[in-house]
Amino acid sequence: MISAEISRSWLLVNGAKTEEFDVAASSKADQIVLDIEDAVDPSQKNVARDEVAKWLETKQAWVRINDRASDFWSDDIDQLRDVPGLLGVMLAKTEDGSHVTETFDRLGGKTRVLALVESALGIEEAREIACARGAFRLAFGSGDYRRDTGTSVEDIAMAYPRSRLVVASRIGNLPGPIDGPTVGSSYGILREKSEHAVALGMTGKLCLHHDQIPVINEAISPTQSDVAWARSFLADFEARGRVVRDGSDLPRLGRAEKIEKLAVAFGINPS
């Protein structure tokens, strides 16, 4: 499994549909997230939580839990805290750093908390959230954010919240944030949206369907030409004794080392 710090595709799976759990686990998604929040009707949340906890006795996944202000948050924490297969939680509707820290502490101070930011307030508090004790990575709940603010789906309209999450993640020394899902069946649009997210500095994307995974993984990975350039630069840098020639060498070195790390993790080898 790809390390969660650099995972590209995060597949959301309805926590009430147990028949989909094993299918998702065998998919090419870098991470799977069993969703017991928005995907599940309130009347079914207790049953879904039981089924998710049971499945995690022998398998591994992340779980999207209910938000700190909800009536379900405490029960989610209590039931999932000691489940062996819990890789981490995605905390819905995070709007304050204390939401992350309280969740982290209640989970025993070891479980990773991925803060899902879904509102205007959450975006404005992104720096505090990213710097909160226990924060592992930020994710963008783009659909709820649009509903909260009335923002359109156009890239220019959504550039501000995405950039806020990117800057906040850098300040909090977190991995790049995870973009929200793209709804629809057009692979072309999905690729375009994924590439746009990467251009803004995001390094992952939520997805809703298995067939979106290959597109996201490819769009967010370094290209073969990127990898070829990085390896050529690193080889030349080593050959000259790691001597810095001018002010552009260090930024290039940082970029080349990052690309090489991702290429190794994702198994990318220029032909």
Side-chain angles (χ1 to χ4, degrees), residues 167-245:
V167 172
S169 295
R170 180 66 188 91
I171 293 171
N173 198 31
L174 304 183
I178 301 161
D179 193 24
T182 296
V183 178
S185 59
S186 170
Y187 294 157
I189 292 175
L190 176 61
R191 178 177 297 278
E192 179 183 319
K193 296 295 185 183
S194 300
E195 291 174 347
H196 179 72
V198 170
L200 289 174
M202 307 189 96
T203 58
K205 190 169 179 65
L206 300 176
C207 54
L208 305 174
H209 305 290
H210 294 245
D211 56 1
Q212 293 182 325
I213 295 168
V215 178
I216 291 171
N217 284 348
E218 182 179 348
I220 295 181
S221 298
T223 65
Q224 289 196 355
S225 61
D226 287 336
V227 177
W229 168 84
R231 291 179 175 170
S232 175
F233 178 88
L234 291 172
D236 177 67
F237 191 65
E238 292 295 333
R240 53 185 157 90
R242 300 182 66 85
V243 174
V244 175
R245 297 170 300 186

Side-chain angles (χ1 to χ4, degrees), residues 48-64:
R49 188 192 306 116
D50 288 344
E51 291 297 333
V52 165
K54 179 180 178 182
W55 190 80
L56 290 175
E57 290 290 339
T58 57
K59 305 292 177 62
Q60 292 186 319
W62 290 70
V63 178
R64 176 158 84 162

Side-chain angles (χ1 to χ4, degrees), residues 59-218:
K59 305 292 177 62
Q60 292 186 319
W62 290 70
V63 178
R64 176 158 84 162
I65 64 172
N66 291 275
D67 64 278
R68 177 63 185 87
S70 75
D71 295 334
F72 302 100
W73 174 84
S74 186
D75 289 339
D76 289 348
I77 296 292
D78 289 344
Q79 188 158 3
L80 295 171
R81 180 169 48 221
D82 298 319
V83 175
L86 182 67
L87 295 176
V89 298
M90 178 181 290
L91 179 62
K93 298 177 176 64
T94 308
E95 294 186 326
D96 190 90
S98 64
H99 296 175
V100 172
T101 300
E102 289 178 27
T103 300
F104 181 69
D105 289 346
R106 279 283 300 274
L107 286 167
K110 296 180 180 179
T111 302
R112 295 173 290 189
V113 179
L114 197 163
L116 185 61
V117 181
E118 308 183 69
S119 66
L121 178 57
I123 290 297
E124 289 306 290
E125 296 295 325
R127 175 175 177 171
E128 180 190 353
I129 293 168
C131 293
R133 179 168 50 81
F136 168 72
R137 202 168 171 185
L138 304 183
F140 186 28
S142 49
D144 278 351
Y145 173 82
R146 289 198 304 273
R147 284 190 287 273
D148 185 39
T149 61
T151 306
S152 81
V153 72
E154 299 301 321
D155 290 340
I156 191 170
M158 297 291 280
Y160 173 75
R162 288 186 169 112
S163 294
R164 288 277 299 188
L165 294 179
V166 169
V167 172
S169 295
R170 180 66 188 91
I171 293 171
N173 198 31
L174 304 183
I178 301 161
D179 193 24
T182 296
V183 178
S185 59
S186 170
Y187 294 157
I189 292 175
L190 176 61
R191 178 177 297 278
E192 179 183 319
K193 296 295 185 183
S194 300
E195 291 174 347
H196 179 72
V198 170
L200 289 174
M202 307 189 96
T203 58
K205 190 169 179 65
L206 300 176
C207 54
L208 305 174
H209 305 290
H210 294 245
D211 56 1
Q212 293 182 325
I213 295 168
V215 178
I216 291 171
N217 284 348
E218 182 179 348

